[in-house]
Amino acid sequence: MAEEVEVRGQDRLSSRASCEVETPQNDYMQSRDLYGNDAQLARTLSGCELLQSVTYSLCLTFLRRDSPNLSFYASRQPNADDDIGRYAEQRVIRYVQDTCPHELVDKELHFRTGTALVETVDGRKSYDLSRESDWNLQRIIRPNYTGPVHVEIHREYIALRICAEANKTFANTKRDELASMKCKAADRLRYFPRLDVELIASCGTIAKMIAEDTSSAMDSAEKEGFANTVYHDARALFTSCIHAQLDIRCLKRLIENGWNDGRLKVQPLEEDDLCHEACRTNFDNLLEWQKSFRVAEFLTVGHHQDFDTEQTVPFQYCPNRAQEVNTSRENSTSGNAIVQTQARSSDKDTARCGSGPFSEVFRVKMDPSHHKLAVDKDTPFAVKVFGDCPLRRKRDFAQELKVLEQLQRYPHAHIVTHLATWTQNDKYYMLSPYATCNLRRYMANWQFKSPQRSTPTLWILAQLRGLADALCSIHNLFEESKIQSPSHLSVPARTLGYHHDLKPENVLFFSTQDSTQLDRHTGEGSFRVADLGSVKMNTLRIESVNARWSAGTATYAPPEQETEGLTSRPYDIWSMGCIFLELLVWALFDYDAVRRFSHQRHSHCEASNSIPSDAFWIIEKGGHAVKKHTVTDQVNRLRGEILRKQHLPFDQVLRVVEDMLIIDSRKRIDAVSVWNRLDQIYKSAVADFEEVERVFADVSVQTGSIYSKSY
């Protein structure tokens, strides 16, 4: 049977892996035993009123402190009745009570968290089921789903003691439970997840501990009122005191002095907050460990936060080897394989995705209970850490944050925007979606199918159009003017931007969530412009601007930067034209041809005794810039290959690229024109392929043959 394996324990950022295993009778609950013993549940699960094509999997996991976790897995057809989940849950809990009674002796079972994973032909989507009562299958399975649908419900529980263990006080019992919930974060930090803190500080636990307390002079009515205050306002503070072995009178003094969870989030406790002199040792312990309880949360996309030194950001480094992609060739059936591995703090070096003069990028995972940045809480992210030069670091971070905030007002499918930013310990952090790879690595690891087949061709045309549209968004960002204009000027101010460092390394590829849905040759997904820290913004009242600024990457820089020292929006058009040209070389030939093209441009400089460079232009003796003849030769070679294959869309794209690579920046096509022309090329290609498909379908009907789509 298919068993769901929970990887939990001392270092637990939850991860799951499905595999085919033989399930030992003594370790896991067997679905056949469960359903064999309950005919009503079997009948309930056997009929599917919701969708006949839906299959349903239920995984219930019970976290255990000192032994392997207990998991139950079943797969049946669901019923439209929302009570099915709750009924199944109750039956499984009774099964645990019958077969493993020692697991629940003097304990109470608590719901911890839940997720629903819906898998369709279009990919996967995850839903957060964080509420114990959330079992609504009709909300999860939308009516517009077509084809087979598989729903996996994951429910996680933990049994916590409701009375003291032998030879221990109730406070010490809870302290031991709390110690087992400690998790590892990056840079060897430890923290307690919010979910577990809330479970430990349950209403019953707080009331019981305060009722049994003898350190304070409260009567029963006062204790009841104080317990209510703690439960609503100070659960994290209560748990911190349990961990530090501070008694209830210390907690009461702290609350009387204005401390609660809200204040603790933004301000750490200090030595001056000592409750009683006799408690100094334990209070020092609280100060030492408060960082583990003051754990950052990311609840709003795009929000910036400033964290003090006594807060923990709950992420772990994930080794970057997990993004390695298997090269797919014509006779290969393997596609991109992304192996997600839980990381330790010592994995920082292997988690490094890239680095520059003033920043580094790492692959990380956030604790699922501490963020709302993605639907799939277990998804990896990329965190950019700005470098060691304080002035440059602050300037670079502020510049990129300004651009991203501006762009986030108008989200674009082909621009990578940030999910969260924060500062801590004089360092600057920026969290973004994690990409499968950059464009250069993508071309090196995937082979493009024959352009005569529709899906790869339409996909690449859509990506070219999308990147051109992204450039339009960067070049034309509108906002209300904050400048008082003379009365005779009615033209609103316009924010103009330019990227300044477009190159294959700054174009990222994001695959679809389900790798089984990828075309093994095109790696279906999307390209997105990234590294927006190099974007420059100007608020202007004129149509165009040329600014003097330092160089981006020399290979893709235009000639006017060398001849005139200028950078502006035409700079980006040239750079994007170079990228598009390399993409055409890859699509019509292969990545080896892209590398040869670079070597040929470099060799051109050596032959003409110029400074070695693989740029697409060269300065002649008279000081004039011209395109290298190797670039012109490559364009002619591409045109010949296109004509040989009679593939009109790529010929039209090549004409656009030629207009992007005009030496004179004043005559170079602009981003809007690039997008308009690529949009027309894409729409025409769609219409042409649909017409071909219709003709072949008609022929197949007339001849009685089976028509096979070339997808």
Side-chain angles (χ1 to χ4, degrees):
M1 62 181 288
E3 185 66 33
E4 188 72 16
V5 181
E6 277 286 339
V7 182
R8 303 287 298 184
Q10 296 298 318
D11 308 329
R12 53 197 176 106
L13 281 181
S14 181
S15 61
R16 300 183 176 91
S18 293
C19 55
E20 294 294 326
V21 298
E22 291 295 327
T23 308
Q25 179 72 25
N26 58 346
D27 283 345
Y28 293 93
M29 294 174 282
Q30 299 293 301
S31 60
R32 60 176 179 271
D33 293 336
L34 174 71
Y35 290 100
N37 294 336
D38 199 311
Q40 180 181 356
L41 180 59
R43 287 195 302 272
T44 303
L45 287 171
S46 64
C48 175
E49 300 292 337
L50 196 60
L51 281 176
Q52 293 297 327
S53 58
V54 173
T55 56
Y56 172 86
S57 297
L58 173 67
C59 175
L60 301 178
T61 298
F62 298 85
L63 305 183
R64 302 192 286 183
R65 285 174 51 199
D66 304 317
S67 56
N69 296 329
L70 188 66
S71 293
F72 160 79
Y73 184 95
S75 184
R76 291 290 189 278
Q77 293 277 22
N79 188 278
D81 185 1
D82 290 340
D83 289 335
I84 174 179
R86 286 187 288 271
Y87 184 76
E89 180 181 53
Q90 292 168 6
R91 184 64 186 87
V92 172
I93 292 172
R94 289 200 300 271
Y95 185 88
V96 177
Q97 294 170 334
D98 294 341
T99 58
C100 308
H102 60 281
E103 290 293 334
L104 298 178
V105 172
D106 296 330
K107 294 180 181 178
E108 185 177 39
L109 201 62
H110 294 267
F111 169 75
R112 188 175 184 276
T113 186
T115 59
L117 183 66
V118 178
E119 182 175 352
T120 69
V121 293
D122 298 322
R124 294 183 179 183
K125 188 169 184 180
S126 179
Y127 294 85
D128 183 27
L129 305 181
S130 56
R131 295 178 300 174
E132 185 172 4
S133 60
D134 203 341
W135 277 98
N136 192 333
L137 293 182
Q138 295 191 56
R139 179 181 71 85
I140 296 170
I141 306 175
R142 301 197 308 270
N144 59 338
Y145 279 148
T146 57
V149 179
H150 180 69
V151 182
E152 292 181 11
I153 304 291
H154 302 267
R155 303 273 289 182
E156 191 175 274
Y157 300 83
I158 186 169
L160 298 176
R161 302 195 70 88
I162 55 177
C163 58
E165 293 182 271
N167 303 319
K168 289 184 181 180
T169 64
F170 187 56
N172 286 334
T173 299
K174 285 298 175 182
R175 187 176 301 112
D176 290 344
E177 283 186 331
L178 183 62
S180 70
M181 296 174 173
K182 211 177 299 176
C183 292
K184 284 183 179 179
D187 302 320
R188 301 184 179 181
L189 297 177
R190 300 274 184 167
Y191 72 97
F192 296 96
R194 177 186 59 82
L195 282 177
D196 295 329
V197 167
E198 292 178 352
L199 288 173
I200 284 289
S202 66
C203 185
T205 296
I206 293 172
K208 181 177 177 64
M209 198 168 294
I210 292 176
E212 295 178 356
D213 174 70
T214 59
S215 65
S216 63
M218 292 185 290
D219 58 29
S220 57
E222 289 176 319
K223 287 183 176 181
E224 183 177 346
F226 182 63
N228 186 62
T229 298
V230 171
Y231 180 74
H232 288 98
D233 300 328
R235 295 169 78 180
L237 187 61
F238 169 80
T239 314
S240 302
C241 289
I242 291 177
H243 185 267
Q245 302 185 50
L246 288 170
D247 53 33
I248 296 300
R249 67 168 183 156
C250 299
L251 174 65
K252 188 172 185 295
R253 175 69 61 85
L254 289 171
I255 291 177
E256 288 172 348
N257 290 339
W259 284 98
N260 53 41
D261 288 352
R263 183 179 176 185
L264 198 61
K265 281 184 178 181
V266 298
Q267 180 183 349
L269 286 158
E270 298 178 355
E271 290 185 5
D272 293 343
D273 297 306
L274 176 66
C275 45
H276 306 89
E277 187 61 37
C279 303
R280 178 169 294 277
T281 300
N282 290 344
F283 188 80
D284 288 343
N285 188 32
L286 184 148
L287 295 181
E288 180 182 351
W289 278 92
Q290 68 174 326
K291 189 171 186 174
S292 299
F293 291 93
R294 301 182 66 240
V295 187
E297 292 185 297
F298 300 88
L299 307 179
T300 305
V301 172
H303 184 54
H304 176 77
Q305 301 181 77
D306 295 307
F307 299 131
D308 58 60
T309 57
E310 294 301 319
Q311 285 177 284
T312 298
V313 180
F315 71 80
Q316 289 186 346
Y317 294 114
C318 298
N320 194 37
R321 62 176 177 269
Q323 77 161 0
E324 290 179 358
V325 181
N326 293 329
T327 302
S328 182
R329 300 301 181 188
E330 287 185 356
N331 295 326
S332 173
T333 58
S334 63
N336 99 344
I338 302 175
V339 182
Q340 296 183 357
T341 308
Q342 187 170 353
R344 300 182 299 273
S345 57
S346 59
D347 290 322
K348 183 174 182 178
D349 289 338
T350 58
R352 186 177 286 104
C353 304
S355 60
F358 304 104
S359 63
E360 293 181 296
V361 180
F362 300 93
R363 183 177 187 264
V364 300
K365 278 191 177 182
M366 280 282 182
D367 187 299
S369 68
H370 283 260
H371 78 84
K372 294 183 178 179
L373 303 177
V375 177
D376 183 359
K377 296 298 189 70
D378 206 36
T379 189
F381 299 100
V383 62
K384 187 174 185 178
V385 185
F386 288 77
D388 297 326
C389 178
L391 293 178
R392 179 63 184 262
R393 181 175 63 207
K394 185 175 182 179
R395 186 185 69 189
D396 287 353
F397 178 80
Q399 171 66 29
E400 187 159 354
L401 182 58
K402 175 184 176 182
V403 173
L404 289 169
E405 287 176 343
Q406 181 83 347
L407 290 170
Q408 198 167 60
R409 295 173 60 189
Y410 309 100
H412 196 286
H414 290 272
I415 295 178
V416 180
T417 55
H418 72 299
L419 298 171
T421 58
W422 69 93
T423 57
Q424 187 179 39
N425 298 330
D426 294 325
K427 288 188 177 182
Y428 300 83
Y429 300 84
M430 188 170 291
L431 196 75
S432 303
Y434 179 74
T436 304
C437 60
N438 62 40
L439 176 56
R440 188 170 303 283
R441 182 172 293 179
Y442 178 87
M443 291 189 294
N445 286 286
W446 271 284
Q447 180 177 339
F448 192 74
K449 275 186 178 180
S450 168
Q452 293 177 331
R453 304 186 70 178
S454 60
T455 298
T457 301
L458 295 181
W459 179 80
I460 197 69
L461 291 176
Q463 299 314 304
L464 296 175
R465 181 185 65 163
L467 291 175
D469 195 29
L471 200 54
C472 288
S473 294
I474 294 172
H475 283 188
N476 298 279
L477 292 171
F478 292 87
E479 63 177 5
E480 291 184 5
S481 174
K482 297 180 181 179
I483 304 172
Q484 295 297 322
S485 60
S487 58
H488 66 280
L489 291 178
S490 59
V491 180
R494 178 166 58 175
T495 302
L496 303 178
Y498 41 95
H499 189 286
H500 184 262
D501 195 21
L502 289 169
K503 55 186 176 180
E505 288 77 9
N506 286 341
V507 176
L508 303 182
F509 172 68
F510 290 81
S511 66
T512 53
Q513 284 185 312
D514 183 5
S515 61
T516 63
Q517 300 298 322
L518 299 182
D519 183 283
R520 299 308 182 189
H521 289 266
T522 65
E524 190 176 328
S526 65
F527 292 135
R528 304 181 195 176
V529 176
D531 196 16
L532 300 180
S534 52
V535 172
K536 302 301 165 187
M537 312 294 290
N538 291 289
T539 302
L540 306 170
R541 294 189 175 279
I542 56 177
E543 279 298 310
S544 181
V545 63
N546 288 322
R548 294 188 178 273
W549 209 68
S550 58
T553 302
T555 300
Y556 302 94
E560 63 265 19
Q561 184 191 313
E562 178 70 20
T563 58
E564 304 174 45
L566 299 179
T567 179
S568 63
R569 291 179 294 169
Y571 184 115
D572 288 343
I573 298 298
W574 177 278
S575 301
M576 189 67 83
C578 297
I579 294 171
F580 285 0
L581 184 58
E582 288 188 334
L583 265 170
L584 288 175
V585 173
W586 166 75
L588 288 164
F589 300 109
D590 53 28
Y591 185 64
D592 289 338
V594 176
R595 290 189 292 187
R596 286 196 301 271
F597 183 33
S598 174
H599 178 71
Q600 289 163 0
R601 297 195 308 273
H602 198 280
S603 299
H604 186 138
C605 293
E606 296 175 353
S608 60
N609 296 319
S610 301
I611 298 175
S613 168
D614 63 346
F616 288 65
W617 50 269
I618 193 169
I619 301 294
E620 292 187 326
K621 291 182 179 180
H624 301 291
V626 295
K627 271 189 285 191
K628 291 179 178 178
H629 70 74
T630 51
V631 175
T632 305
D633 292 345
Q634 185 65 261
V635 170
N636 292 334
R637 193 176 300 114
L638 285 170
R639 182 159 286 119
E641 185 70 8
I642 290 169
L643 292 176
R644 186 180 69 83
K645 295 180 177 179
Q646 290 294 301
H647 192 58
L648 180 60
F650 280 7
D651 180 62
Q652 294 172 321
V653 171
L654 188 56
R655 293 179 188 278
V656 176
V657 171
E658 288 182 291
D659 289 341
M660 298 171 75
L661 297 181
I662 292 176
I663 293 293
D664 188 344
S665 62
R666 293 167 297 182
K667 298 179 181 179
R668 204 172 294 153
I669 191 174
D670 63 19
V672 174
S673 298
V674 173
W675 180 83
N676 280 330
R677 289 172 63 178
L678 291 176
D679 183 56
Q680 289 300 317
I681 293 169
Y682 173 76
K683 289 177 179 177
S684 296
V686 170
D688 290 343
F689 280 119
E690 288 177 348
E691 177 63 20
V692 170
E693 183 177 317
R694 185 189 63 78
V695 171
F696 273 93
D698 290 343
V699 171
S700 66
V701 171
Q702 294 171 7
T703 61
S705 61
I706 299 176
Y707 167 59
S708 177
K709 296 180 181 179
S710 57
Y711 293 107

